[in-house]
């Protein structure tokens, strides 16, 4: 799961990090790893269903940068790369703005279609929050791939919790419950 997230960050961080003269080449990989750590830490700190709903709606609507959770993740990431790698504040903020909301939006918008390499925002949230939010659909394209998350998703679908009719219970279903 984290490998897929890192690959998505690398794809979207090429211009902001690798092609950025303000980031020393020897720090390119570490800066992108810091983006991953910031996303994982930020998402794992989400505690309330309304925060999940707000995050998901904002990234799907193209307004991720205005969401408080995304802002917090971006600010933490920018602060960390300033401190760890000596990157100036303006550059750090622009790198964060170019990576964090874009990666979250791509995960959210592709989650319903299997995600990037099977990675979706709902699945990542479910994994990071111990199943409190999101779904268990991380490694494969459907819940029949087995495992506890897949079994729970199948049971949830049978109980009428599959609000979007895609065969699993994930963040998409959660957001539909609150509308």
């Amino acid at each position: 799961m984290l490998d897929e997230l890192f690959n998505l960050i690398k794809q979207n961080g090429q211009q902001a990090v690798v092609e950025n003269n303000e980031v020393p080449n020897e720090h390119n990989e570490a800066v992108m790893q810091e983006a991953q750590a910031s996303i994982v830490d930020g998402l794992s700190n989400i505690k309330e269903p309304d925060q999940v709903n707000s995050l998901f709606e904002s990234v799907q609507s193209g307004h991720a940068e205005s969401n408080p959770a995304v802002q917090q993740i971006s600010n933490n990431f920018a602060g960390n790369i300033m401190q760890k790698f000596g990157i100036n504040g303006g550059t750090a903020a622009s790198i964060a703005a170019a990576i964090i909301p874009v990666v979250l939006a791509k995960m959210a918008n592709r989650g319903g279609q299997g995600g990037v390499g099977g990675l979706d925002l709902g699945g990542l949230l479910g994994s990071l929050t111990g199943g409190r939010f999101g779904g268990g659909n991380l490694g494969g394209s459907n819940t029949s791939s087995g495992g506890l998350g897949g079994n729970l998703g199948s049971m949830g679908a049978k109980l009428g919790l599959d609000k979007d009719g895609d065969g699993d219970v994930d963040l998409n279903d959660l957001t539909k419950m609150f509308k």
Side-chain angles (χ1 to χ4, degrees), residues 73-85 87 92-93 96:
I73 294 168
S74 294
N75 290 340
N76 288 344
F77 171 56
N80 289 344
I81 63 175
M82 286 170 51
Q83 180 183 10
K84 292 180 180 181
F85 309 112
I87 297 171

Side-chain angles (χ1 to χ4, degrees), residues 40-88:
V40 168
D41 289 345
L43 293 178
S44 64
N45 287 326
I46 293 177
K47 306 290 185 221
E48 302 295 326
D50 60 336
Q51 290 174 311
V52 173
N53 193 32
S54 172
L55 171 66
F56 197 72
E57 285 180 2
S58 67
V59 295
Q60 278 200 318
S61 68
H63 301 292
E65 64 283 344
S66 66
N67 180 276
V70 176
Q71 289 173 349
Q72 184 69 38
I73 294 168
S74 294
N75 290 340
N76 288 344
F77 171 56
N80 289 344
I81 63 175
M82 286 170 51
Q83 180 183 10
K84 292 180 180 181
F85 309 112
I87 297 171
N88 75 51

Side-chain angles (χ1 to χ4, degrees), residues 73-162:
I73 294 168
S74 294
N75 290 340
N76 288 344
F77 171 56
N80 289 344
I81 63 175
M82 286 170 51
Q83 180 183 10
K84 292 180 180 181
F85 309 112
I87 297 171
N88 75 51
T91 300
S94 70
I95 292 170
I99 294 177
I100 303 300
V102 172
V103 167
L104 292 173
K106 286 188 177 186
M107 291 168 58
N109 289 325
R110 294 184 182 180
Q113 293 88 33
V116 178
L119 179 68
D120 65 77
L121 183 58
L124 184 60
L125 269 168
S127 172
L128 296 175
T129 61
R132 288 191 316 265
F133 309 116
N137 199 14
L138 287 172
S141 59
N142 61 46
T143 56
S144 64
S145 61
L148 182 60
N151 291 337
L152 291 174
S154 296
M155 285 188 294
K158 290 176 185 170
L159 294 172
L161 299 175
D162 182 14

